Amino acid sequence: MSILEVSGLKKTYTTRFGGNKVEALKNVSFGVEEGEYVAIMGESGSGKTTLLNILAALDKPTGGRVCLDGQELNKIKEAQISAFRRDHLGFVFQDFNLLDTFSVEDNIYLPLVLAGRHYTEMRERLTPIAGQLGITEILKKYPYEISGGQKQRVAVARALITGPRLILADEPTGALDSRATDELLGLFNAINHKGQTILMVTHSVKAASHAGRVLFIKDGEVFHQIYRGNSTNEQLYHKVSDTLTLLATGGDRR
Ligand SMILES: Nc1ncnc2c1ncn2[C@@H]1O[C@H](COP(=O)(O)OP(=O)(O)OP(=O)(O)O)[C@@H](O)[C@H]1O
Ligand SMILES: [Mg+2]
């Protein structure tokens, strides 16, 4: 069953002083099946964050349709959107979006607090995730006291803590060194094996080569996609890297 259906999605930004229009998304269509692990790649400015924000109902499209878990997003009432998001989605923001007035731990608990969960349950959920992400030692600190890579892992923990069926991650390894990247990718593999669906925007060929499918966006449209099939991570790595070269050199759609 498909967990996400996107059809003919458009987003045009009009700059504040009128005049200039940016067509961030021109015509994006794709579907994601429940349990898939999909990476999205594309050059800076190609519309990846715009797309994720629309999928999470944090922004509205100019045209087209998004169906999440069988529900058309623009038909969900404004008042129900945040509950819908909280119950279905985990979102990792490109700029982390942590609250400086809350400790690391409270930032991670936030979605569960909003869902009215018990403290004991929150702690039981956090312990394994914090261990896997290597952030156990910093839970009592505040976001302004930790590094960029640590913030990123905290943002990932906050997205995973509710056990969402769909995880939308905007460059979740962008601020991480290679060891932390490997740990995060290991965690994503593990939760995907348990059945959670992942849609991850990334600039990292290595991160993309862990996915089951890689979508490439260029000029606001899906340009190409690669299915893993029986490829190993290494074989997929080479295919992704070849496609990126083609994209950068302006190759024709194939
Ligand atoms: N709020 C906004 N107002 C006007 N233009 C915007 C706005 N947000 C994004 N854009 C423009 O839309 C285009 C797509 O931006 P977007 O942030 O989706 O790119 P991206 O693929 O996520 O890039 P990156 O890899 O650098 O994160 C860019 O040209 C950007 O300048
Ligand atoms: Mg972006």
Side-chain angles (χ1 to χ4, degrees):
M1 196 195 110
S2 79
I3 192 164
L4 177 68
E5 280 294 335
V6 177
S7 51
L9 206 62
K10 287 183 188 32
K11 178 69 181 181
T12 308
Y13 289 111
T14 313
T15 48
R16 205 158 11 135
F17 301 107
N20 287 350
K21 282 189 174 168
V22 179
E23 276 191 297
L25 301 175
K26 283 183 191 154
N27 181 15
V28 172
S29 303
F30 65 94
V32 175
E33 297 296 306
E34 174 119 54
E36 266 199 291
Y37 183 173
V38 180
I40 298 182
M41 301 192 89
E43 288 176 354
S44 181
S46 59
K48 307 179 299 296
T49 296
T50 303
L51 173 64
L52 282 199
N53 284 339
I54 292 172
L55 300 185
L58 296 166
D59 199 358
K60 285 193 192 308
T62 313
R65 224 167 55 103
V66 176
C67 226
L68 239 177
D69 235 350
Q71 287 205 61
E72 208 176 309
L73 274 191
N74 64 7
K75 291 196 177 144
I76 303 176
K77 289 199 186 75
E78 202 67 44
Q80 289 162 2
I81 286 275
S82 57
F84 180 86
R85 200 185 291 130
R86 188 189 66 211
D87 296 340
H88 293 75
L89 300 178
F91 200 103
V92 184
F93 292 90
Q94 190 167 16
D95 52 7
F96 320 136
N97 260 10
L98 300 176
L99 302 174
D100 262 341
T101 49
F102 282 17
S103 67
V104 160
E105 188 173 55
D106 288 341
N107 265 284
I108 300 171
Y109 285 153
L110 196 60
L112 293 177
V113 172
L114 296 174
R117 300 298 179 80
H118 229 266
Y119 181 70
T120 333
E121 183 194 337
M122 298 200 268
R123 217 177 33 201
E124 275 166 14
R125 284 179 182 241
L126 177 58
T127 308
I129 295 176
Q132 278 166 303
L133 288 168
I135 53 171
T136 308
E137 308 302 317
I138 58 162
L139 292 176
K140 300 290 178 201
K141 290 194 169 191
Y142 284 80
Y144 54 82
E145 298 174 316
I146 62 177
S147 74
Q150 289 170 331
K151 280 185 201 166
Q152 183 143 47
R153 283 174 283 162
V154 172
V156 170
R158 184 184 52 190
L160 299 184
I161 194 99
T162 56
R165 284 176 53 214
L166 177 62
I167 293 141
L168 300 171
D170 201 349
E171 266 201 69
T173 63
L176 303 184
D177 62 21
S178 75
R179 202 186 102 209
T181 296
D182 288 344
E183 280 164 5
L184 180 88
L185 293 174
L187 181 59
F188 272 21
N189 278 339
I191 60 175
N192 178 243
H193 276 129
K194 279 197 234 144
Q196 284 170 270
T197 310
I198 303 175
L199 192 59
M200 169 180 71
V201 163
T202 185
H203 282 287
S204 155
V205 178
K206 183 178 180 184
S209 67
H210 280 250
R213 174 158 57 118
V214 187
L215 280 176
F216 297 86
I217 294 196
K218 183 176 180 164
D219 300 330
E221 292 185 57
V222 176
F223 169 83
H224 185 53
Q225 48 179 327
I226 299 176
Y227 282 87
R228 169 188 293 278
N230 292 322
S231 305
T232 60
N233 284 2
E234 198 183 333
Q235 288 166 331
L236 187 57
Y237 183 101
H238 289 296
K239 287 184 192 168
V240 168
S241 156
D242 290 347
T243 305
L244 288 179
T245 309
L246 188 76
L247 264 170
T249 52
D252 287 331
R253 193 186 296 264
R254 56 170 181 173

